[in-house]
Amino acid sequence: MKIYISNYLSHSISIINYETLETEREIVLNNNIYPHHFCVDEQEKKIFIPSLINGTLYAVDIISGKILDSISVGGSLSQIFMHEDELFVSNEDTNSIYIINKYTLDPITMISVDDMPHGFGYYKKNKRLYVPCINSIVCIDIENKSIYKKIDTDFKAWHLEIDEKREEIYVSTLDGKLVILKEENLEVVNTFQELLLPVQIKFNYTDNRVYISDLGYNQIKILDYNLGKYIGKIKINGIPQGLEISNDYSRLFVSDTENGEIKVFDTKTNQLMKAIHVGKEPTTIVCL
């Protein structure tokens, strides 16, 4: 198992061995590539990186670290999601989702959404992609490549995570909230305050925990999944942003953008196992 981390200001991707928690190597990119969100195609040995700065999508070889191909889309590219042979890329300038062939990087189509589409959440059961926008949440049918449904919101949606167990959607907002909606009708069922700037959300179904990284309060909030209330927090001596959990839910990975570290916590004890130095301003973490 590998852990991939984007280092925004180092123009690089770090790769960490899951068993040893040691950095195996760092893929150094061009200085004009500022990696944030990305996706990994393990079968093809590629990393796809959309650029916020120059509106270009890059395909990078995992083994050699070389750029294999690129396509200039324009605008401010943010989140990326891969489904079968296609890449879905959000553009915050044009308020749209681009669909691109992952083998050729040829454009397939574009779906217009609402203002500032950012994070993605994929619901496997119905093959739907949820897109948080600044004043709405849009649901895309990825097979028909069309908007299936949407809801206007009175909160500023930023990132979201799909809870497939209960068929709910957890949304972090730019106005300091965690909002839970039913997947079926997008009805709000609960709202949690006591956050400043929540970012990513991860579920621990073994211990019935929900983790929320809050870069405003420099901590990870812990929510009891069954009781629906806060039960604790993990203080980060730095600024937490990216969040990932291992497949067996035993380890929680946090990117500390201030100190250039990935911090690994034991989910049973919430104790720090190791702080791994990576590049400058690490953001997204992908555990495969």
Side-chain angles (χ1 to χ4, degrees), residues 20-273:
T20 64
L21 295 181
E22 297 288 341
T23 301
E24 290 189 348
R25 61 195 182 92
E26 185 176 6
I27 299 174
V28 180
L29 307 165
N30 294 347
N31 285 339
N32 63 336
I33 303 176
Y34 293 81
H36 179 30
H37 296 296
F38 65 95
C39 67
V40 178
D41 187 339
E42 287 191 298
Q43 185 175 354
E44 296 294 319
K45 304 298 181 186
K46 295 179 183 178
I47 301 176
F48 295 99
I49 305 170
S51 173
L52 284 164
I53 304 300
N54 61 11
T56 301
L57 173 66
Y58 298 92
V60 177
D61 184 271
I62 292 177
I63 306 301
S64 68
K66 294 181 179 179
I67 297 174
L68 300 172
D69 200 358
S70 66
I71 178 175
S72 179
V73 178
S76 179
L77 305 184
S78 179
Q79 185 61 273
I80 185 168
F81 168 74
M82 181 175 66
H83 175 71
E84 296 179 351
D85 298 341
E86 297 172 342
L87 300 168
F88 293 72
V89 183
S90 63
N91 190 323
E92 294 183 350
D93 282 348
T94 62
N95 300 325
S96 56
I97 308 299
Y98 290 94
I99 304 176
I100 296 168
N101 183 289
K102 77 172 187 178
Y103 296 111
T104 64
L105 295 192
D106 290 332
I108 297 172
T109 190
M110 181 185 76
I111 302 173
S112 295
V113 290
D114 288 340
D115 291 347
M116 289 188 66
H118 193 69
F120 283 159
Y122 180 55
Y123 187 37
K124 296 178 183 177
K125 179 180 176 180
N126 292 326
K127 296 185 178 180
R128 296 172 185 166
L129 186 66
Y130 285 87
V131 184
C133 301
I134 200 68
N135 289 308
S136 67
I137 295 175
V138 178
C139 173
I140 294 174
D141 182 322
I142 63 173
E143 291 195 327
N144 294 324
K145 299 177 178 58
S146 62
I147 294 177
Y148 177 75
K149 58 185 174 181
K150 64 167 274 190
I151 180 176
D152 294 326
T153 63
D154 59 0
F155 52 83
K156 300 182 188 311
W158 193 14
H159 289 267
L160 58 78
E161 194 76 12
I162 308 296
D163 174 13
E164 296 200 9
K165 186 175 179 180
R166 287 184 177 165
E167 298 187 326
E168 293 180 336
I169 303 171
Y170 284 58
V171 184
S172 64
T173 78
L174 289 168
D175 37 9
K177 301 174 186 176
L178 175 68
V179 182
I180 304 176
L181 307 92
K182 293 299 295 181
E183 188 279 331
E184 183 180 6
N185 55 17
L186 298 180
E187 176 187 353
V188 175
V189 295
N190 210 342
T191 301
F192 294 90
Q193 310 285 343
E194 300 179 36
L195 298 160
L196 185 57
L197 195 54
V199 190
Q200 292 196 301
I201 304 152
K202 291 296 171 183
F203 299 101
N204 177 350
Y205 292 120
T206 297
D207 300 312
N208 295 311
R209 301 286 186 263
V210 184
Y211 305 98
I212 308 106
S213 59
D214 190 333
L215 64 81
Y217 284 138
N218 300 338
Q219 62 187 15
I220 308 300
K221 274 284 203 180
I222 305 174
L223 187 72
D224 187 294
Y225 179 72
N226 291 328
L227 298 178
K229 66 178 184 180
Y230 292 124
I231 56 171
K233 60 188 177 184
I234 301 172
K235 293 184 178 179
I236 306 295
N237 292 322
I239 300 176
Q241 184 167 342
L243 204 60
E244 181 64 291
I245 195 163
S246 60
N247 294 334
D248 63 359
Y249 306 114
S250 66
R251 295 176 179 179
L252 183 71
F253 302 89
V254 182
S255 63
D256 177 354
T257 60
E258 182 177 37
N259 296 302
E261 295 176 333
I262 297 301
K263 293 179 174 174
V264 188
F265 294 88
D266 184 316
T267 56
K268 292 293 184 185
T269 63
N270 295 332
Q271 295 299 306
L272 179 67
M273 296 174 62

